[in-house]
Amino acid sequence: SLHTVTTLPTARRPGCPFDPPGELVDARRHGPISRYTFPGGVPGWLITGYDLVRSVLADQRFSSRKELMRHPAIDIAGMEIPPAPPGEFLLMDEPRHGRYRKPLVGRFTVRRMRQLTERVEQITADHLDAVEKAGPPADLVTAFAKPIPSIVICELLGVPYEDRGRFQRQIDTFLGGETSDEDLIAAYTATQQYLAELVAAKRANPTDDVLSDLMDTDLTDEELRGMALILLAAGFDTTANMLALGTFALLSHPAQAAAWRADPGLTDRAVEELLRYLSVAKTFMRTALEDVELGGQTIEAGTTVILSYNTANRDPERFSDPHVLDLRRENGGHLAFGHGIHQCLGQQLARVEMRVAFPALLDRFPTLRLAVPAEEVELRPETADIYGVKSLPVTWDV
Ligand code: HEM
């Protein structure tokens, strides 16, 4: 029989900051696809099985287009959703999507990102120096997890050094998930304004960065601004939360942290396992463009399907002991970066950042531990698109 889920799919298990809510794990036990009742009682679909999530992501009959997202709560309000603005390719299908993704792909290859390793090492070392110098306790969100990816993305986009503070504050307000609508709109407008100025400046005076590289294509300034916004929004908050929540997970599993300290050869596998285990980008949606048979159900054209990446990454049919954090785990293939045409463009960059930052932190502070009881670590609200902690108070022996 078809199982119905009512828990918000973006929630976490109460009292356990790393696990999907029990109801979603239960839903997977009933089968890979469930009925999902949206707030307001409107029926929809929720996919929790690994294979089924992956097949939807690879299926062009499921669309990412923003204007088709019929989140029933929005339908009820009778709101028309406009298509994604030029350049904001995350919420587009082919061929619009490819126009923006294709020119970026060559900038984000494994080789290019490896070339950045030294720079990431330097940025990480500078921040760890500052933490060490200030002495315990420290908040690793503000001192470590946020600044590293934000400096990297600023350098990649060619944000001038003197603008960095202003820019980071805007992004922070804009993605923090907890500001008033008014502040949110103000921060969004300011970011758009800033990016428009940045694109104009690169047009006038190209430098060595991703935006300048795109100046000799037929992309308009408006399109470039949209692309820059997507790179920022997708690249900064995700990595920052992986670093912060990942550190929290390591401090909560001291034997795992000790194993990683003792064996730097674990790094690549450990990072993949943290990605799988934490799945900070929890859910994405797709809309059926036609009637589709899926897991024995008919998804009607125009229906929006919620894909639960975090539950799929805990699927017992795909991962043995899926709820155990095991940095030695061999099987990769998690869905933390998605799959198919929208699979994370920045995944190699994110990997470089995590492969550098986690081991550097563990090495620098052999006695690193939480400075408050684990229950007191403040988590992001369950409505936040990207899961994480608001602050991470730590201490160590000096
Ligand atoms: C797309 C996760 C870091 C840029 C995605 C998607 C996921 C994801 C799940 C697919 C969304 C979908 O299926 O609709 C993550 C995680 C990260 C991370 C967990 C950090 C650990 C980054 C970084 C960048 C980046 C550092 C770039 C600078 C993008 C872009 C897309 C994307 C541009 C859209 C791709 C497209 O629509 O073709 N990311 N991401 N991400 N990510 Fe990431």
Side-chain angles (χ1 to χ4, degrees):
S1 72
L2 196 52
H3 190 69
T4 297
V5 171
T6 50
T7 308
L8 201 63
T10 50
R12 288 271 153 154
R13 185 183 300 244
C16 183
F18 311 120
D19 291 345
E23 201 189 348
L24 296 197
V25 174
D26 277 355
R28 174 65 194 96
R29 275 190 211 116
H30 285 82
I33 179 165
S34 308
R35 265 286 175 200
Y36 175 67
T37 309
F38 282 93
V42 178
W45 296 101
L46 174 74
I47 306 191
T48 52
Y50 177 94
D51 288 339
L52 215 53
V53 168
R54 210 165 188 277
S55 70
V56 170
L57 289 172
D59 189 336
Q60 306 285 309
R61 293 174 299 172
F62 287 96
S63 169
S64 283
R65 278 157 59 193
K66 186 174 180 180
E67 68 274 26
L68 299 180
M69 297 284 173
R70 298 225 177 278
H71 185 303
I74 293 170
D75 254 6
I76 287 170
M79 262 167 62
E80 281 277 329
I81 310 173
E88 297 186 20
F89 59 104
L90 178 70
L91 299 180
M92 294 177 184
D93 293 343
E94 302 308 351
R96 255 190 119 200
H97 167 262
R99 170 169 170 79
Y100 305 117
R101 177 156 174 139
K102 271 188 211 126
L104 286 171
V105 171
R107 296 291 320 189
F108 286 88
T109 57
V110 177
R111 190 178 56 87
R112 286 238 182 208
M113 294 304 126
R114 290 238 168 96
Q115 289 167 349
L116 268 177
T117 303
E118 228 169 90
R119 183 67 194 124
V120 175
E121 282 168 355
Q122 187 58 53
I123 296 166
T124 304
D126 291 347
H127 284 81
L128 294 178
D129 287 348
V131 172
E132 192 174 4
K133 194 160 165 241
D139 170 19
L140 287 185
V141 170
T142 50
F144 170 78
K146 275 187 181 172
I148 296 170
S150 97
I151 291 173
V152 171
I153 200 85
C154 284
E155 291 192 359
L156 210 74
L157 288 177
V159 171
Y161 193 79
E162 60 277 14
D163 290 351
R164 206 161 285 161
R166 167 184 159 207
F167 184 74
Q168 280 168 18
R169 269 193 308 279
Q170 285 168 9
I171 300 299
D172 228 39
T173 327
F174 160 41
L175 290 173
E178 282 192 296
T179 21
S180 67
D181 285 357
E182 221 166 72
D183 288 353
L184 202 70
I185 292 167
Y188 182 78
T189 312
T191 305
Q192 292 284 32
Q193 174 67 30
Y194 180 80
L195 290 175
E197 285 167 25
L198 184 68
V199 169
K202 299 293 168 190
R203 178 77 70 195
N205 187 10
T207 44
D208 181 18
D209 53 69
V210 170
L211 276 181
S212 299
D213 277 7
L214 294 171
M215 291 299 165
D216 60 4
T217 63
D218 68 346
L219 294 160
T220 66
D221 285 9
E222 188 193 13
E223 292 178 305
L224 291 171
R225 189 189 65 184
M227 292 164 75
L229 186 71
I230 287 295
L231 287 174
L232 269 175
F236 162 56
D237 205 43
T238 43
T239 315
N241 281 296
M242 267 307 298
L243 290 176
L245 194 65
T247 302
F248 185 20
L250 290 168
L251 298 180
S252 306
H253 296 81
Q256 294 288 316
W260 196 350
R261 275 194 184 94
D263 180 6
L266 268 188
T267 294
D268 290 7
R269 266 184 285 161
V271 164
E272 297 313 304
E273 174 65 350
L274 286 171
L275 284 161
R276 179 197 74 85
Y277 182 71
L278 299 171
S279 300
V280 294
K282 299 168 284 189
T283 58
F284 283 88
M285 297 197 285
R286 294 291 188 271
T287 304
L289 293 172
E290 52 187 86
D291 289 359
V292 181
E293 295 296 317
L294 204 66
Q297 308 298 329
T298 304
I299 312 300
E300 281 174 29
T303 310
T304 299
V305 170
I306 304 176
L307 306 172
S308 175
Y309 291 11
N310 58 339
T311 318
N313 277 336
R314 300 288 189 95
D315 188 336
E317 284 181 21
R318 179 62 178 72
F319 301 100
S320 53
D321 296 326
H323 303 295
V324 173
L325 175 70
D326 175 9
L327 301 185
R328 290 196 176 80
R329 193 182 287 276
E330 296 275 2
N331 53 353
H334 59 71
L335 294 169
F337 289 125
H339 177 67
I341 66 163
H342 291 279
Q343 189 178 41
C344 183
L345 178 74
Q347 59 186 284
Q348 302 308 344
L349 175 59
R351 287 189 167 108
V352 166
E353 295 182 57
M354 290 183 283
R355 287 170 183 173
V356 168
F358 282 124
L361 176 72
L362 292 173
D363 267 10
R364 181 72 70 108
F365 301 106
T367 59
L368 192 72
R369 57 189 180 273
L370 291 176
V372 297
E375 317 77 79
E376 284 171 27
V377 172
E378 266 196 288
L379 302 167
R380 276 193 159 186
E382 46 179 43
T383 46
D385 286 329
I386 305 296
Y387 196 68
V389 295
K390 288 198 245 176
S391 62
L392 192 66
V394 295
T395 187
W396 60 92
D397 299 338
V398 286

